[in-house]
Amino acid sequence: MKIWKSLLIVLMIVANLAFAQPSFADRPKFSKNPDYIEVTKALNELTQTKDAQTQAEGFTPEEIQQKIDELAFQKYALETGINWGQCENQTGNTIAVYGKRPNSEENEDAIYDNGLYFLADGQSTKNNWDCDGIYLPNDVKVANFTSNPNGQGEELTGSAALKILDGTQLVIKTNPDTAAIELNVPTVKVLNSKEANWFIPDISQALIDTRVPNAPSNQS
């Protein structure tokens, strides 16, 4: 009887190993991640600019190096398997953020690829919950915005959806002097309804302030 029990235990261990192996084999390759491709391209362009000792328009060598360092960390985060971003609200107002719906059943019935959630001031989205970006209302502007690390900063006004890369912690603040929104990341991508199936309404910040915060969040 003891022999049969021992054999049964061995068979169970072998079976578990057999089923566990494919999980390692099917691990997604970060090199195929669109965010990884975008970060790598931007990093290579900035590195070439620095190596050629040519200054990108509007940037000092120190600013170029800072952007290189930020992109290098984003690239590293993607290489280590981080497939989610985080948004932190320090604007003094409620903001709207984009993220996946909580379960597959709701995703199947969803009209849009991403849901629009509301994040209270002083909060950040929950760890491991993928904040894909933020919504910019039609009466709010982003100061020194750039969608290209090699480009000069400009002013962006809503309505718009701003996408961040996986592995990014986006901190959104309000400049007390100009009331413009400031972002801590070197570049974000502006999306429209033709480029992505995201809900991009044409509404004001005042309307967002009336919404009940419902984004999965960590209290700051």
Side-chain angles (χ1 to χ4, degrees), residues 62-182:
E62 292 76 17
E63 289 173 332
I64 293 175
Q65 184 59 53
Q66 182 181 1
K67 290 177 179 292
I68 289 175
D69 294 341
E70 290 171 340
L71 288 169
F73 268 106
Q74 288 183 342
K75 183 171 182 282
Y76 172 76
L78 293 168
E79 289 172 343
T80 54
I82 297 178
N83 58 0
W84 54 278
Q86 188 172 54
C87 298
E88 182 176 340
N89 181 10
Q90 297 182 15
T91 64
N93 300 99
T94 298
I95 64 171
V97 300
Y98 291 96
K100 299 295 187 296
R101 283 172 162 67
N103 59 59
S104 58
E105 291 183 1
E106 290 188 5
N107 282 333
E108 290 176 359
D109 297 332
I111 298 175
Y112 299 99
D113 294 337
N114 269 340
L116 197 60
Y117 297 83
F118 301 97
L119 185 67
D121 178 49
Q123 292 188 344
S124 62
T125 53
K126 192 174 183 179
N127 293 353
N128 296 307
W129 185 82
D130 188 13
C131 180
D132 283 324
I134 64 171
Y135 167 75
L136 185 66
N138 57 22
D139 56 351
V140 173
K141 60 183 180 181
V142 178
N144 198 31
F145 168 83
T146 174
S147 59
N148 183 343
N150 290 334
Q152 188 173 7
E154 59 187 24
E155 183 179 286
L156 174 70
T157 57
S159 302
L162 307 182
K163 181 184 182 298
I164 63 171
L165 303 174
D166 288 341
T168 297
Q169 184 183 44
L170 175 66
V171 180
I172 310 102
K173 296 182 179 181
T174 300
N175 187 304
D177 297 324
T178 64
I181 296 296
E182 296 180 344

